[in-house]
Amino acid sequence: MAKLWGGRFTQDSSSLLDSFNASIAFDQELWEYDIAGSKVHAKMLLSIGVLKRSEYESIINGLQSIAERIKKDEFEFKIVDEDIHMAIESALIDLVGEAGKKLHTARSRNDQVALDFRMYVLDYNRKIRLKILDLMDTILEVAKEHTDTIMPGMTHLQHAQPINFGFHLVAWCVSLKRDYQRFSDSFERNNFLPLGVGALAGTPYGNDREMMAKDLGFKAPTLNAMDTVSERDFALDMLYDISMLLMHISRFSEELVLWSSYEFKFISISDAYSTGSSIMPQKKNPDVPELLRGKSGRVFGNLMGLLSVMKGLPLAYNKDTQEDKEGVFDSVKTTMISLEILKEVLASMRIYPENMLKMAKIGHLTATDLADFLVREKQLPFREAHHITGEVVAFAEKKGVDISELSEDEIFQITSLKLVGIEKILDIKTSMNARDSLGGTSTRRTKEQIDDLKNWIDEKKNG
Ligand code: ARG
């Protein structure tokens, strides 16, 4: 079959070349953007006098009917068409004849693919951001209910100080906010129109790129033709933003896996989002967070893949860049479903505050509060207070209780210090609420942080 570019060729291409060279199997994903770009390009050709109105109209109608066919799954994507750009262009020529042959004036597949792919990336940048907001909303709904639910806060995965569960969830949310902002920054940086730069050096037709940028919703046209057809920074930004997001999701997932184990039993994941074992009938496995953790590895790979494709390319367009798409499509789809399912898992999980509290009473989490009390009430130097507290901890250990369970009298026996009100001070909840500095875990500060994030989300949703 004759190729759209076949004029200078005397021999048919080998079928091996056709399948090796073709991107149609995956870049059909871009069809909607390709058609949108072609419509605007046709409008521009009309405005600079390349197309007559009747030709313009038949092109627009032709593109529209191709779009309908693709939507209804009635369009045949053929390997011989090579890529989505030529598939649509040759279908258009079949449909409307001569006028269709004029569409590729003042345009190259190099700027066409740069446009389509960028539109895809920006479109999903928006979609992913909306999903991040939904996930944050869900997390904050849970957090709101648990600003008083004591759990052990950890460092080095060891019990450290009492916190509340809401506060822990807010910590997740703050990293999601940064992720959102990272996507926004990339969006702003890349929101420029590639179309109209031709193959690499501009065109002799005086393409009205400003008009096309405006029509397609870009901020402005890109600056330099060569850079435009050759760079894939917008796709790398996307892959990096996704990698950061999924790195965070992987960390949350690790905690969900731990928390749902018998050793913690802080939560249980709903049956709807758990799986069984084929051999051990008693098992309920947290496959969703495990997969989320695993999928982060996969999207990091996609980022490394495209960086490696790009690193040795001379200006301008090189066919290597055809390898830019599959990893991005894969990362985008992985992200969309990951955000969705994590939200469902969190909304439906069961939480066990009594187990969290039980664990918060292991490990003398309020020891620092005793030392602080000695500094404050007895004007002891902190080092001395630290030492005395150590002795109290040793006593509690020997007795087999937590420091929060000792009485004022027992503490007097060990320290010879009359510490009025110490029982209250060593209480786990008092300790949590004592951490009331800006950004701290106290219920009051946690609620403040939740409100702050909620206001920010509302602003983003309505802005
Ligand atoms: N399928 C190609 C890609 O994805 C489109 C651009 C091809 N341009 C060219 N001059 N061969 O990169």
Side-chain angles (χ1 to χ4, degrees):
M1 196 206 248
K3 298 271 197 287
L4 285 180
W5 43 251
R8 61 104 71 210
F9 290 78
T10 49
Q11 237 188 319
D12 282 347
S13 58
S14 94
S15 58
L16 193 56
L17 175 278
D18 284 346
S19 59
F20 186 66
N21 195 35
S23 51
I24 188 80
F26 50 88
D27 69 11
Q28 50 184 271
E29 182 84 35
L30 300 175
W31 72 268
E32 257 182 302
Y33 310 107
D34 198 81
I35 287 183
S38 286
K39 283 182 177 169
V40 169
H41 182 68
K43 183 175 164 191
M44 192 278 295
L45 292 179
L46 173 70
S47 78
I48 60 172
V50 172
L51 290 178
K52 295 199 284 280
R53 179 150 290 276
S54 59
E55 291 170 324
Y56 167 72
E57 277 161 10
S58 66
I59 287 175
I60 295 295
N61 293 336
L63 289 170
Q64 198 46 44
S65 81
I66 292 170
E68 304 300 334
R69 261 160 61 199
I70 298 177
K71 255 190 248 166
K72 283 193 238 148
D73 237 352
E74 285 166 7
F75 188 90
E76 198 198 341
F77 293 102
K78 297 190 285 283
I79 291 280
V80 284
D81 283 332
E82 204 174 308
D83 57 28
I84 187 63
H85 326 295
M86 292 205 295
I88 290 174
E89 192 188 334
S90 48
L92 181 72
I93 293 168
D94 286 349
L95 211 60
V96 309
E98 288 309 299
K101 292 186 186 166
K102 292 190 175 179
L103 179 62
H104 211 55
T105 317
R107 183 176 81 171
S108 153
R109 271 188 298 156
N110 298 353
D111 57 345
Q112 218 180 332
V113 71
L115 171 76
D116 296 2
F117 196 28
R118 196 180 294 224
M119 284 177 78
Y120 170 91
V121 164
L122 294 177
D123 198 12
Y124 278 94
N125 179 307
R126 260 195 231 104
K127 289 179 179 158
I128 288 172
R129 271 187 284 151
L130 287 178
K131 286 211 181 293
I132 293 176
L133 294 182
D134 284 345
L135 174 61
M136 290 176 75
D137 256 340
T138 301
I139 297 174
L140 292 178
E141 280 310 304
V142 182
K144 228 173 56 192
E145 302 301 314
H146 292 281
T147 57
D148 216 16
T149 303
I150 309 288
M151 71 184 286
M154 301 194 178
T155 61
H156 312 264
L157 203 63
Q158 305 290 327
H159 290 200
Q161 288 176 345
I163 59 170
N164 69 71
F165 185 50
F167 179 70
H168 193 119
L169 294 176
V170 169
W172 286 4
C173 254
V174 184
S175 53
L176 288 174
K177 177 180 169 184
R178 281 194 300 277
D179 291 327
Y180 181 101
Q181 290 168 323
R182 199 170 297 110
F183 279 98
S184 293
D185 293 347
S186 302
F187 189 93
E188 294 307 319
R189 183 164 45 257
N190 294 305
N191 189 17
F192 296 93
L193 171 91
L195 192 62
V197 300
L200 76 161
T203 80
Y205 291 93
N207 300 17
D208 186 351
R209 299 185 63 217
E210 252 93 22
M211 178 281 275
M212 293 196 289
K214 208 157 151 242
D215 258 42
L216 287 171
F218 289 92
K219 195 164 163 202
T222 56
L223 184 70
N224 174 280
M226 256 200 162
D227 173 62
T228 301
V229 292
S230 118
E231 67 106 339
R232 291 295 182 267
D233 296 6
F234 62 91
L236 285 161
D237 275 350
M238 183 70 155
L239 290 173
Y240 176 70
D241 296 347
I242 284 177
S243 294
M244 288 290 280
L245 171 63
L246 276 258
M247 180 271 286
H248 291 139
I249 287 181
S250 177
R251 292 185 63 184
F252 310 159
S253 298
E254 166 66 10
E255 296 196 316
L256 294 176
V257 172
L258 286 173
W259 290 347
S260 59
S261 69
Y262 280 116
E263 283 66 25
F264 281 79
K265 199 76 178 137
F266 287 179
I267 59 161
S268 68
I269 293 172
S270 130
D271 280 1
Y273 296 102
S274 303
T275 57
S277 154
S278 57
I279 176 167
M280 296 167 281
Q282 83 286 9
K283 288 211 74 185
K284 185 168 141 178
N285 295 328
D287 285 28
V288 172
E290 290 174 89
L291 274 171
L292 287 170
R293 208 170 48 186
K295 284 183 190 296
S296 65
R298 169 181 177 144
V299 305
F300 301 166
N302 288 332
L303 171 61
M304 284 314 293
L306 185 54
L307 280 170
S308 311
V309 166
M310 296 306 294
K311 80 173 179 54
L313 302 185
L315 289 171
Y317 177 84
N318 300 275
K319 191 65 176 249
D320 313 45
T321 42
Q322 181 164 287
E323 295 295 320
D324 59 2
K325 292 171 207 57
E326 286 161 290
V328 172
F329 295 158
D330 177 58
S331 284
V332 163
K333 280 177 195 147
T334 301
T335 305
M336 294 289 283
I337 190 166
S338 296
L339 289 167
E340 191 69 36
I341 200 157
L342 177 57
K343 187 182 79 177
E344 300 295 324
V345 165
L346 295 174
S348 61
M349 72 184 174
R350 203 167 139 197
I351 296 157
Y352 301 101
E354 57 299 349
N355 293 344
M356 294 184 180
L357 182 62
K358 207 165 88 199
M359 294 314 282
K361 286 187 179 159
I362 298 177
H364 316 288
L365 268 65
T366 54
T368 321
D369 296 271
L370 173 56
D372 289 337
F373 188 77
L374 293 173
V375 168
R376 220 170 36 241
E377 300 296 319
K378 300 287 169 191
Q379 279 82 46
L380 294 185
F382 185 76
R383 270 293 146 240
E384 204 172 314
H386 188 283
H387 187 78
I388 294 172
T389 305
E391 287 171 353
V392 176
V393 167
F395 175 83
E397 283 277 293
K398 217 158 125 203
K399 194 182 167 200
V401 297
D402 188 67
I403 196 172
S404 62
E405 289 159 329
L406 294 179
S407 68
E408 201 178 308
D409 285 348
E410 285 171 309
I411 293 176
F412 180 69
Q413 278 170 37
I414 314 154
T415 62
S416 316
L417 293 167
K418 191 93 199 105
L419 303 178
V420 181
I422 191 61
E423 287 169 22
K424 181 92 182 108
I425 292 292
L426 294 184
D427 171 71
I428 309 271
K429 187 175 272 188
T430 313
S431 164
M432 183 272 284
N433 277 319
R435 284 176 176 73
D436 192 44
S437 56
L438 190 64
T441 189
S442 69
T443 297
R444 180 178 82 99
R445 289 300 191 181
T446 302
K447 284 184 175 159
E448 203 172 80
Q449 293 159 34
I450 292 174
D451 286 345
D452 191 286
L453 287 167
K454 275 207 175 296
N455 289 337
W456 179 84
I457 292 172
D458 286 347
E459 225 173 79
K460 293 295 152 193
K461 282 196 168 168
N462 306 322

XYZ file of all heavy atoms in Angstrom, residues 23 27 82-83 85 109-110 113 232 317 319 321-322 324-325, ligand 1:
144
model
N 3.936 3.159 15.445
C 3.563 3.484 16.832
C 2.052 3.458 17.005
O 1.538 3.726 18.092
C 4.118 4.856 17.224
O 3.771 5.837 16.264
N 0.001 4.849 20.032
C -0.282 6.290 19.995
C -1.714 6.606 19.541
O -2.109 7.770 19.522
C 0.783 7.083 19.223
C 0.787 6.836 17.732
O -0.152 6.203 17.214
O 1.757 7.291 17.074
N 1.213 3.522 10.167
C 2.368 3.898 10.979
C 2.004 4.547 12.308
O 2.347 4.030 13.352
C 3.291 4.836 10.194
C 4.720 4.818 10.683
C 5.637 5.650 9.782
O 5.632 5.431 8.548
O 6.352 6.509 10.336
N 1.380 5.708 12.242
C 1.047 6.357 13.513
C -0.313 7.039 13.424
O -0.941 7.084 12.366
C 2.158 7.325 13.963
C 2.472 8.402 12.929
O 1.565 8.767 12.133
O 3.627 8.875 12.901
N -1.152 10.070 13.472
C -1.227 11.262 12.616
C -1.547 10.869 11.177
O -2.407 11.443 10.528
C 0.082 12.056 12.678
C 0.725 12.003 14.030
N 0.121 12.560 15.122
C 1.886 11.426 14.468
C 0.892 12.333 16.192
N 1.962 11.644 15.817
N 4.838 16.076 11.023
C 4.459 15.174 12.106
C 5.262 15.489 13.366
O 4.865 15.134 14.465
C 4.685 13.713 11.690
C 3.480 13.115 11.009
C 3.681 11.642 10.811
N 4.813 11.355 9.945
C 5.506 10.227 9.946
N 5.197 9.261 10.806
N 6.500 10.034 9.120
N 6.393 16.166 13.156
C 7.213 16.484 14.335
C 6.514 17.466 15.276
O 6.548 17.300 16.489
C 8.573 17.044 13.908
C 9.364 16.037 13.090
O 8.945 14.883 12.962
N 10.482 16.463 12.524
N 3.151 15.592 16.615
C 3.275 14.661 17.740
C 3.627 15.427 19.024
O 3.139 15.100 20.116
C 4.282 13.521 17.461
C 5.719 14.010 17.442
C 4.150 12.416 18.500
N 11.404 16.718 25.290
C 10.317 15.966 25.920
C 10.310 16.239 27.434
O 9.873 15.403 28.224
C 10.468 14.457 25.652
C 10.234 14.066 24.190
C 8.786 14.313 23.748
N 8.537 13.913 22.366
C 8.635 14.724 21.321
N 8.984 16.002 21.477
N 8.381 14.277 20.105
N 14.380 16.739 15.998
C 13.601 15.517 16.186
C 14.429 14.282 15.828
O 15.156 14.279 14.834
C 12.313 15.541 15.335
C 11.534 14.237 15.463
C 10.657 14.051 16.526
C 11.714 13.191 14.560
C 9.979 12.850 16.685
C 11.042 11.989 14.706
C 10.180 11.820 15.774
O 9.515 10.628 15.933
N 13.869 9.829 15.803
C 12.815 8.820 15.934
C 12.855 8.128 17.302
O 11.843 7.572 17.752
C 12.932 7.789 14.809
C 11.741 6.841 14.675
C 10.447 7.573 14.282
C 9.316 6.586 14.055
N 8.904 6.480 12.668
N 12.520 9.349 19.980
C 11.510 9.930 20.886
C 10.152 9.259 20.727
O 9.271 9.479 21.547
C 11.352 11.454 20.690
O 11.354 11.753 19.324
C 12.447 12.204 21.387
N 9.990 8.454 19.684
C 8.748 7.685 19.597
C 8.616 6.757 20.818
O 7.524 6.349 21.175
C 8.732 6.869 18.292
C 7.464 6.060 18.091
C 7.306 5.595 16.659
O 7.001 6.400 15.773
N 7.528 4.318 16.409
N 8.874 7.634 23.711
C 8.511 8.453 24.885
C 7.129 8.133 25.436
O 6.823 8.477 26.573
C 8.576 9.958 24.521
C 7.637 10.328 23.360
O 6.914 9.448 22.849
O 7.644 11.513 22.949
N 6.283 7.494 24.629
C 4.856 7.489 24.979
C 4.412 6.363 25.908
O 3.676 6.602 26.867
C 4.009 7.442 23.707
C 4.104 8.718 22.895
C 3.445 8.570 21.554
C 4.054 9.506 20.538
N 5.528 9.332 20.355
N 5.201 8.454 15.396
C 6.164 9.493 15.539
C 6.509 9.700 17.015
O 5.806 9.231 17.815
C 5.626 10.770 14.973
C 6.633 11.701 14.471
C 7.331 11.130 13.304
N 8.092 12.096 12.563
C 8.935 11.718 11.631
N 9.531 12.641 11.005
N 9.152 10.462 11.345
O 7.499 10.335 17.361
